[in-house]
């Protein structure tokens, strides 16, 4: 697929309806294939991981952000630059743990779940689990091992969607030269 | 052409993409009669000039073509052994093209991993903490510019010493890499990047300009 040479700040306009429908088709097909919500969640996480390891390069190439030196900076960049760039929403960052290694991303609206209603037989399905995989994969490529999970979901009746991010450790093997 | 080569090196130091786009300036084609007044020897699977210098042909130059037929290693493209052919007076007069030997792909792989190690050494030698690695290597005939991404991939560009704007070229190549390589789901990360599809079939005018485009098939004329 060709790409415009002077893309700059203007992004390709694509219907978000098509995006929502595509994601929906993906999740429902996974549900049919695996029949078990836990397996579907795992698959979504894996798929998200594969997206994340590629998306990070695109993000770094386009946004020109430098290396983050602590988890707070990382949280800011994720919420204000990355989510804005890819989903068009800016989550808010709250609930910092005292040690500064956990925080929550609160999404008022999640573009993935427009018009979606979870049926009763899929009560343990984490519909947007792809996002957790993306966050995990992307941060792993910049030497941060993190855990991302949904603690609140509008699909399950909560008021907002909340992703809890926890910093596990810095990945020390295969560091790019000069980053020690 | 102001940009001589582009190399993309992965995290482990392996070369995943390479493009050369310079016209070698030191090539000479001459007609010779028996006996050849240059001494040729076989070295590293190439036929090189060991002694003798005339008309732009220097010691170290390799035999690139005989009578218009390209030479690879010690054989011509039609299977003749070069030294044997040139030792036979019946084959003369012969026209031989000499030039600086091109690097083979194995040599490029080796040089890329060596550069990767030097890059790491460069940042370790730094008196200050957290130094970047080698950003530029300058010689009298070219400047090597290197950009390492936060994920450890290095983009190396060899350009004319007077060429400006290489920094933005490196960023542009990073963008192109993140699009054409990474958005292809069948491309495995860290593996060599290959292009099989002749791109000119898909559009009449490529979206990237030849001076910035790093991918070979993108701009050849069909």
């Amino acid at each position: 697929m060709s790409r415009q040479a002077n893309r700059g700040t203007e992004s390709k306009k694509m219907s978000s309806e098509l995006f929502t429908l595509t994601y929906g088709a993906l999740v429902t097909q996974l549900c049919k294939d695996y029949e078990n919500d836990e397996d579907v969640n795992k698959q979504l996480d894996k798929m998200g991981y594969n997206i994340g390891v590629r998306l990070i390069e695109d993000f770094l190439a386009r946004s020109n952000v430098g290396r983050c030196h602590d988890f707070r900076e990382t949280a800011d960049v994720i919420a204000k630059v990355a989510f804005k760039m890819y989903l068009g929403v800016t989550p808010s960052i709250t609930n910092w743990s005292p040690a500064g290694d956990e925080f929550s991303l609160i999404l008022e609206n999640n573009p993935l779940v427009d018009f979606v209603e979870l049926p009763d037989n899929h009560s343990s399905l984490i519909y947007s689990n792809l996002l957790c995989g993306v966050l995990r994969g992307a941060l792993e490529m910049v030497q941060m091992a993190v855990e991302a999970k949904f603690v609140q979901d509008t699909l399950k009746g909560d008021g907002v969607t909340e992703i809890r991010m926890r910093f596990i450790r810095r990945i020390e093997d295969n560091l790019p030269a000069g980053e020690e | 052409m102001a940009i001589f080569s582009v190399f993309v090196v992965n995290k482990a130091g392996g070369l995943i993409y390479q493009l050369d786009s310079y016209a070698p300036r030191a090539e000479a084609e001459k007609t010779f009669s028996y006996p050849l007044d240059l001494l040729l020897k076989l070295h590293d699977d190439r036929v090189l000039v060991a002694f003798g210098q005339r008309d732009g042909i220097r010691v170290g130059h390799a035999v690139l073509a005989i009578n218009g037929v390209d030479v690879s290693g010690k054989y011509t493209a039609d299977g003749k052994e070069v030294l044997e052919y040139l030792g036979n007076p019946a084959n003369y007069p012969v026209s031989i093209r000499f030039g600086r030997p091109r690097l083979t792909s194995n040599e490029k792989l080796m040089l890329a991993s060596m550069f990767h190690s030097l890059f790491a050494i460069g940042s370790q030698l730094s008196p200050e903490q957290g130094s970047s690695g080698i950003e530029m290597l300058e010689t009298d005939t070219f400047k090597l510019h290197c950009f390492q991404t936060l994920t450890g991939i290095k983009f190396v560009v060899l350009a004319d010493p007077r060429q400006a704007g290489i920094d933005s070229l490196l960023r542009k190549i990073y963008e192109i890499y993140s699009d054409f390589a990474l958005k292809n789901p069948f491309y495995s990360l860290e593996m060599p990047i290959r292009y099989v599809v002749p791109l000119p079939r898909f559009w009449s005018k490529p979206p990237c300009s030849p001076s910035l485009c790093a991918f070979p098939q993108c701009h050849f004329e069909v």
Side-chain angles (χ1 to χ4, degrees), chain A residues 54 57, chain B residues 8 16-17 153 155 173-195 215:
Chain A
R54 292 162 184 261
E57 304 271 11
Chain B
V8 180
I16 60 176
Y17 181 77
I153 310 248
F155 296 92
I173 295 177
Y174 187 25
E175 268 185 48
I176 295 178
Y177 165 77
S178 80
D179 279 346
F180 286 87
L182 296 185
K183 303 243 172 60
N184 176 3
F186 297 106
Y187 166 68
S188 333
L189 257 52
E190 310 295 294
M191 289 291 117
I193 301 174
R194 284 188 207 296
Y195 273 84
F215 295 91

Side-chain angles (χ1 to χ4, degrees), chain A residues 11-29:
Chain A
S11 49
K12 271 194 294 231
K13 297 285 176 229
M14 190 178 90
S15 156
S16 66
E17 272 79 38
L18 182 61
F19 176 59
T20 312
L21 282 170
T22 307
Y23 189 69
L26 178 80
V27 177
T28 48
Q29 191 59 47

Side-chain angles (χ1 to χ4, degrees), chain A residues 1-5 53-54 56-58 60-62 64-67 141-143 176-180, chain B residues 11 119-120 123 129 131 148 150-153 171-172 174-175 178-179 182-185 187 189 203 207:
Chain A
M1 285 213 356
S2 65
R3 182 178 84 84
Q4 299 311 311
V53 300
R54 292 162 184 261
I56 183 70
E57 304 271 11
D58 183 82
L60 291 172
R62 275 181 227 298
N64 258 326
V65 300
R67 187 166 284 280
M141 296 295 274
V142 281
Q143 291 86 44
E179 305 287 352
E180 290 87 37
Chain B
K11 279 189 262 243
F119 184 96
S123 63
Q129 174 71 11
S131 149
Q148 176 170 259
L150 292 185
T151 50
I153 310 248
R171 300 279 178 293
K172 185 75 183 162
Y174 187 25
E175 268 185 48
S178 80
D179 279 346
L182 296 185
K183 303 243 172 60
N184 176 3
Y187 166 68
L189 257 52
W203 52 58

Side-chain angles (χ1 to χ4, degrees), chain B residues 17-60:
Chain B
Y17 181 77
Q18 202 278 322
L19 173 69
D20 279 329
S21 75
Y22 55 87
R25 285 165 285 194
E27 258 186 24
E29 181 147 20
K30 293 271 171 307
T31 311
F32 296 89
S33 53
Y34 191 81
L36 200 57
D37 54 356
L38 302 164
L39 181 62
L40 299 176
K41 69 166 186 211
L42 190 64
H43 174 72
D44 256 356
D45 206 37
R46 283 200 193 107
V47 180
L48 301 180
V49 175
F51 195 73
Q53 182 165 302
R54 55 175 268 195
D55 297 330
I57 301 167
R58 310 210 111 81
V59 172

Side-chain angles (χ1 to χ4, degrees), chain B residues 184 193-202 215-218 220:
Chain B
N184 176 3
I193 301 174
R194 284 188 207 296
Y195 273 84
V196 180
V197 175
L199 298 175
R201 258 203 288 136
F202 284 78
F215 295 91
Q217 277 99 321
C218 204
F220 67 73

Side-chain angles (χ1 to χ4, degrees), chain A residues 81-145:
Chain A
V81 192
F83 264 86
K84 184 101 182 31
M85 200 189 274
Y86 292 110
L87 288 176
V89 295
T90 310
S92 46
I93 305 171
T94 57
N95 282 353
W96 276 101
S97 70
D101 63 349
E102 276 192 50
F103 68 93
S104 288
L105 283 162
I106 312 277
L107 283 142
E108 302 288 316
N109 67 313
N110 180 356
L112 292 172
V113 306
D114 285 342
F115 311 118
V116 174
E117 282 182 25
L118 268 188
D120 298 322
N121 58 331
H122 287 298
S123 52
S124 60
L125 175 68
I126 308 173
Y127 189 83
S128 315
N129 209 25
L130 194 92
L131 291 180
C132 295
V134 172
L135 288 165
R136 187 170 65 88
L139 288 172
E140 187 173 309
M141 296 295 274
V142 281
Q143 291 86 44
M144 266 185 263

Side-chain angles (χ1 to χ4, degrees), chain B residues 200 204 206 210 216-222:
Chain B
S204 52
Q217 277 99 321
C218 204
H219 292 280
F220 67 73
E221 304 304 317
V222 173

